[in-house]
């Protein structure tokens, strides 16, 4: 174990979950993780179908991805406070209930219900997004990298599956795209059942002393992590929202375009598992940030080339980039903080402001497309976002702690 991990474990002073309790907790974490992206990524391949059925513009359709991100931004800073009041286990359970309600509401044949359900599931997902990394830090302090990898893989596998099967399923169901979106309620219901044993526990967060370190909101390092969080999400959700339509406008059929989006997310899976483990072992994570940036840039350049022959390579590069970026920034929540409370606060801040940045993505990409009549300017915007991501990631990847930016961390 490296000295960075040792410092964090000594600071948290939290027992590691063991035995059957740990297995049940791990299964619960995995099940919650499966619900954190699939209800959103299932929408991307169906956007054209939804637009044709409802008469929405590209800009309005972009809100189907933007609204959950706005909910993330609103709820993320509140989630740590709710966890301290009601306990992390009960707060996560409430989040899953809200996700399930939102998924069911999207099935109602009404445009208002579609958007209301989308906002609700965004609220519930935000709770899991913020609290799961800090729960892993609390209950598995000696295995943060591996556990973060498992959590990320679970989330991304089902995100990929959702993208790949949403169109085929919609064609098999009499309820069409609404039934295809409703299907993901099965996962959230299963997560509710698996999480039930955790309601017996209510861990009260210790009154961690952070006065000497100051608020995360006043930390330059915290803002760098936040920008990294926002921009990697900007890229991911913009691609999820619009890639299928980018490809169909080139002549690719809708099912194949959906499979290409699924391919992108499948290639993100190994990265989301391996990168957190590597991040926990390295003194700093700048090399991982640069590698992620190169994957983004090469992928966008190939996308700009406009050749369907390069689509598979493009998806692989962007998939590795998005998976690595998510794995790195999730580890920043634990590697840049001293204790669980501070990790939750940083996670809340980064996901609040970060997802506010990300929420602009699908809407802005759709707007630029409507304005220019093509995708070249929109992809150029993604290149610019990737450059800013690398600049912020260089600072966030340094070997420092929130509130101690000017203190040199000793590494044995």
């Amino acid at each position: 174990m490296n000295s960075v991990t040792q410092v964090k474990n000594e600071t948290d002073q939290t027992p590691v979950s063991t035995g059957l309790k740990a297995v049940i907790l791990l299964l619960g974490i995995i099940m919650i993780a499966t619900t954190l992206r699939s209800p959103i990524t299932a929408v991307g391949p169906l956007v054209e179908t939804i637009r044709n059925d409802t008469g929405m513009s590209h800009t309005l359709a972009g809100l189907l991805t933007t609204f959950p991100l706005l909910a993330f931004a609103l709820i993320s800073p509140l989630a740590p406070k709710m966890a301290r009041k009601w306990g992390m286990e009960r707060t996560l359970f409430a989040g899953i209930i809200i996700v399930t309600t939102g998924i069911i509401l999207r099935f109602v044949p009404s445009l208002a219900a579609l958007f209301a359900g989308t906002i609700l599931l965004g609220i519930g997902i935000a709770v899991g997004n913020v609290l799961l990394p800090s729960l892993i830090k609390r209950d598995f302090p000696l295995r943060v990298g591996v556990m973060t990898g498992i959590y990320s893989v679970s989330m991304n596998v089902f995100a990929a599956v959702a993208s790949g099967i949403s169109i085929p399923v919609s064609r098999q169901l009499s309820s069409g795209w609404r039934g295809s979106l409703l299907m993901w309620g099965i996962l959230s219901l299963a997560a509710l059942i698996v999480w039930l044993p955790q309601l017996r526990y209510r861990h009260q967060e210790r009154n961690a002393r952070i006065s000497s370190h100051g608020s995360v909101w006043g930390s330059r390092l915290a803002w760098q992590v936040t920008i990294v969080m926002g921009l990697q999400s900007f890229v991911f959700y913009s691609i999820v929202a619009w890639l299928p339509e980018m490809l169909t406008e080139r002549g690719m059929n809708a099912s194949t375009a959906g499979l290409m989006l699924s391919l992108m997310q499948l290639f993100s899976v190994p990265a989301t598992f391996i990168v957190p483990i590597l991040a926990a072992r390295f003194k700093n994570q700048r090399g991982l940030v640069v590698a992620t940036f190169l994957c983004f840039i090469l992928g966008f350049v190939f996308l700009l080339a406009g050749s369907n022959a390069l689509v598979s390579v493009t998806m692989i590069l962007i998939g590795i980039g998005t998976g690595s970026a998510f794995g790195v920034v999730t580890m920043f929540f634990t590697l840049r903080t001293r204790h669980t409370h501070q990790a939750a606060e940083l996670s809340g801040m980064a996901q609040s402001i970060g997802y506010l940045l990300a929420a602009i993505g699908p809407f802005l990409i759709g707007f630029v497309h409507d304005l220019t009549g093509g995708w070249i300017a929109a992809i150029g915007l993604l290149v610019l976002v990737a450059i800013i991501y690398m600049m912020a990631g260089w600072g966030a990847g340094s070997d420092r702690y929130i509130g101690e930016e000017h203190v040199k961390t000793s590494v044995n």
Side-chain angles (χ1 to χ4, degrees), residues 340-376:
T340 302
H341 169 76
Q342 196 179 47
E345 291 293 335
L346 176 59
S347 178
M349 172 188 171
Q351 298 197 53
S352 173
I353 305 300
Y355 280 124
L356 194 58
L357 286 174
I360 300 170
F363 178 83
L364 185 58
I365 295 297
F367 175 76
V368 170
H369 173 272
D370 287 345
L371 190 65
T372 63
W375 294 107
I376 293 177

Side-chain angles (χ1 to χ4, degrees), residues 269-326:
V269 171
T272 57
F273 181 73
I274 295 168
V275 167
I277 297 173
L278 293 176
R281 293 178 179 275
F282 291 162
K283 179 180 177 181
N284 67 64
Q285 293 73 42
R286 286 174 168 173
L288 293 173
V289 170
V290 172
T292 300
F293 165 74
L294 291 176
C295 287
F296 280 149
I297 291 297
L298 287 174
F300 296 151
V301 167
F302 288 155
L303 200 57
L304 279 170
S307 169
N308 282 349
L310 293 173
V311 169
S312 295
V313 177
T314 301
M315 294 303 95
I316 291 170
L317 286 169
I318 296 177
I320 294 172
T322 55
S324 299
F326 181 80

Side-chain angles (χ1 to χ4, degrees), residues 3 40 77 86 92 109-110 141 169 179 206 208 216 223 286 288 315 332 341 350 354 382 401:
S3 60
I40 298 174
W86 298 316
L92 282 166
S110 158
V169 169
R206 292 178 176 85
V216 295
W223 280 103
R286 286 174 168 173
L288 293 173
M315 294 303 95
F332 284 162
H341 169 76
L382 291 175
Y401 294 99

Side-chain angles (χ1 to χ4, degrees), residues 12-40:
D12 263 336
Q13 295 293 314
T14 305
V16 180
S17 297
T18 56
L20 181 60
K21 179 182 173 183
V23 172
I24 295 173
L25 176 58
L26 173 59
L27 183 58
I29 290 171
I30 290 172
M31 288 307 303
I32 293 177
T34 66
T35 70
L36 297 184
R37 275 191 179 174
S38 53
I40 298 174

